[in-house]
């Protein structure tokens, strides 16, 4: 998709944990305020879309406890992303950033339905858009939703903000000797079984030649640095 301006178009994938104090559930006001400021700073130099997860409120099969079936559990997770999106929208608008929430599930009273052309138009008008509701289907993660929406809007890159500094050759939280990988191909990431993003999302990015940058969410200024093309974290290409 050709853009009418030369301004970079970026999709930022955030986990729900970005909105909450570490180790807690729900939404923490100061964490919400901080991430809104980071997004506001980054949005000045690009057309910015956000996909947000819902793990701070509901995390699929784990929280279902074997009682709630997978489809219902995933549907609940999609609703959790809508809650997060509305919270983030309020925080952004509180600091005068025009924002729209678009959902893949029909909640007309709360947010706009996702229509690709409308999403692109919002971006061209300088609004930050927040995609909620995942893909609208169970069995797909919000990583897959991020890859899908980024491809649909013609994003130049998918930025994935995580809890660690990038992609490692093993889990750095379990292995203190884990090594940070600065660059890796989609195929290598899939074949090595690296767990930073699910295989369906990686495959979709590979098919659409969409680069991914993975970096640490918790370092102040990292979102802006990634938007500006700084070499932080890991590039998957």
């Amino acid at each position: 998709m050709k853009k009418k301006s030369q301004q970079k178009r970026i999709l930022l994938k955030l986990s729900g944990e970005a909105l909450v104090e570490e180790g807690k559930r729900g939404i923490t006001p100061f964490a919400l305020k901080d991430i809104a400021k980071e997004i506001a700073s980054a949005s000045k130099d690009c057309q910015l879309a956000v996909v947000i997860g819902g793990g701070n409120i509901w995390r699929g099969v784990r929280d279902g406890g074997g009682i709630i079936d997978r489809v219902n559990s995933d549907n609940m997770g999609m609703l959790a992303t809508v809650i997060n999106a509305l919270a983030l929208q309020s925080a952004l608008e509180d600091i005068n950033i025009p924002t729209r929430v678009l959902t893949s599930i029909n909640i007309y009273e709360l947010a706009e339905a996702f229509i690709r052309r409308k999403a692109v138009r919002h971006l061209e008008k300088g609004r930050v858009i927040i995609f909620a509701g995942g893909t609208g289907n169970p069995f797909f993660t919000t990583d897959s939703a991020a890859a899908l929406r980024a491809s649909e809007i013609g994003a130049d890159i998918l930025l994935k903000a995580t809890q660690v500094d990038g992609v490692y050759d093993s889990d750095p939280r379990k292995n203190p000797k884990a090594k940070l990988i600065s660059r890796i191909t989609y195929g290598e990431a899939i074949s090595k079984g690296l767990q930073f993003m699910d295989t369906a999302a990686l495959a979709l990015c590979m098919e659409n030649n969409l680069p991914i940058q993975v970096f640490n969410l918790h370092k102040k200024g990292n979102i802006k640095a990634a938007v500006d093309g700084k070499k932080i974290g890991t590039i998957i290409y």
Side-chain angles (χ1 to χ4, degrees):
M1 182 191 306
K2 293 183 179 179
K3 294 180 274 294
K4 291 184 178 181
S5 74
Q6 295 302 309
Q7 196 174 35
K8 201 171 188 182
R9 184 174 293 166
I10 289 172
L11 189 135
L12 171 66
K13 168 59 171 62
L14 291 176
S15 67
E17 285 79 1
L19 309 187
V20 67
E21 185 179 352
E22 188 173 358
K24 295 187 177 181
R25 302 290 293 272
I27 297 172
T28 306
F30 80 83
L32 178 62
K33 186 175 181 179
D34 283 350
I35 193 63
K37 287 180 178 178
E38 294 282 306
I39 291 172
S41 175
S43 68
K44 294 175 183 177
D45 301 313
C46 68
Q47 295 178 1
L48 185 63
V50 180
V51 166
I52 191 160
N56 57 314
I57 296 172
W58 182 263
R59 188 170 288 281
V61 176
R62 186 193 71 184
D63 290 338
I67 299 171
I68 302 172
D69 66 75
R70 174 64 186 271
V71 173
N72 270 340
S73 191
D74 284 356
N75 287 338
M76 292 166 70
M78 285 186 264
L79 290 173
T81 70
V82 176
I83 293 172
N84 282 341
L86 293 174
L88 184 57
Q89 179 185 39
S90 291
L92 286 167
E93 292 184 341
D94 188 58
I95 52 177
N96 300 313
I97 302 298
T99 310
R100 296 290 186 274
V101 174
L102 279 67
T103 74
S104 55
I105 51 180
N106 294 327
I107 310 181
Y108 300 123
E109 293 83 2
L110 302 181
E112 299 176 23
F114 169 72
I115 299 172
R116 183 183 61 83
R117 289 181 180 273
K118 183 180 287 188
V120 169
R121 188 62 177 150
H122 284 319
L123 291 169
E124 291 173 345
K125 285 182 173 290
R127 298 163 182 151
V128 172
I129 55 175
I130 307 169
F131 293 122
T135 65
N137 300 286
F139 302 104
F140 289 93
T141 67
T142 47
D143 280 347
S144 291
L148 177 62
R149 296 292 180 246
S151 299
E152 287 178 306
I153 65 172
D156 296 296
I157 190 168
L158 192 165
L159 303 180
K160 180 175 168 65
T162 67
Q163 309 299 314
V164 293
D165 287 333
V167 178
Y168 287 79
D169 58 2
S170 60
D171 190 340
R173 291 167 292 190
K174 297 178 181 178
N175 178 15
K177 295 184 178 180
K179 294 181 179 179
L180 179 67
I181 302 168
S182 60
R183 291 176 65 85
I184 190 170
T185 66
Y186 311 105
E188 289 171 334
I190 292 171
S191 66
K192 291 177 184 294
L194 301 178
Q195 298 297 311
F196 66 93
M197 183 177 276
D198 67 80
T199 303
L202 274 172
L204 185 56
C205 289
M206 181 167 62
E207 288 172 8
N208 291 286
N209 198 28
L210 176 67
I212 307 163
Q213 186 169 5
V214 181
F215 59 92
N216 193 329
L217 167 67
H218 301 293
K219 290 186 177 178
K220 189 173 182 180
N222 259 5
I223 295 175
K224 179 70 164 60
V227 165
D228 290 343
K230 301 285 180 63
K231 293 182 179 179
I232 58 171
T234 304
I235 294 289
I236 301 92
Y237 63 98

